[in-house]
Amino acid sequence: MSTADLFDELPVTVSRETLAPGAVLLRGFAREEGAALQQAIADVTRQLPFRHLVTPGGYTMSVAMSNCGALGWVSDRSGYRYDALDPLSGRPWPAMPAILRKLAVRAAVPAGFAHFEPDACLVNRYEPGARLSLHQDRDEQDFSAPIVSVSLGLPAVFLFGTPSRKDRPQRHRLQHGDVVVWGGPARLAFHGVAPLADGEHALLGRQRINLTFRRAR
Ligand code: SIN
Ligand code: FE2
């Protein structure tokens, strides 16, 4: 299948913008599935309620997190890592719902990653004021797989830079249903989220939910 064919398969309401070599923004890619995705996320967070993790430096994160999939991302005083078990309960993470996994696999294709197999999905919840400072996703074993990031609920300003911390990031407004995929030369790009503005979203209320799919091992 050529790139043109894949592009033709995008729903008509989806546009593809290049943020940087290796990074694309698929506006509206997940919009039509929003309610079904919300159901799947609720199933996950019923099993593993959102919690505010502590950074290795001792700060409590303003973003609340949950996980699903074989591996979960964890932060505590000893560092950042992926673990097959929740260190708090000693139990495996909730399974990754098929609707979530399929969305990530499908979104990776028009970004140029035809065989993405995520084994970790971090669920981030932003309430008004919550932010995520600039960072690289580098706790994964192999950087050949992309990051697939799905935005639901309130709009946010996504900061997206380069693999060098010195470069000032660009600001992109992400709305409900937008998906960003970055990999290849952009895989280690610095990124973050500006403090969430208050608001009320028709489906999700006063919050933004972000799903970050990764191949951790
Ligand atoms: C992340 O970098 O883990 C989350 C990014 C986002 O919330 O858009
Ligand atoms: Fe990240």
Side-chain angles (χ1 to χ4, degrees), residues 109-133:
V109 176
F113 299 92
H115 304 288
F116 182 46
E117 285 178 40
D119 55 11
C121 172
L122 177 66
V123 186
N124 293 313
R125 184 189 67 195
Y126 297 74
E127 290 178 316
R131 60 187 288 271
L132 195 61
S133 53

Side-chain angles (χ1 to χ4, degrees), residues 122 124 126 132 135 137 149 151 158 174 182 191 193 208 210 212 214:
L122 177 66
N124 293 313
Y126 297 74
L132 195 61
H135 65 278
D137 286 11
S149 172
S151 293
F158 183 55
L174 298 184
W182 64 96
H191 60 282
V193 177
R208 168 177 186 258
N210 166 263
T212 302
R214 308 188 182 104

Side-chain angles (χ1 to χ4, degrees), residues 85-107:
L85 302 176
D86 176 355
L88 227 65
S89 66
R91 295 181 21 204
W93 308 99
M96 193 186 303
I99 183 175
L100 300 188
R101 192 186 57 79
K102 285 179 187 165
L103 169 67
V105 170
R106 219 167 358 102

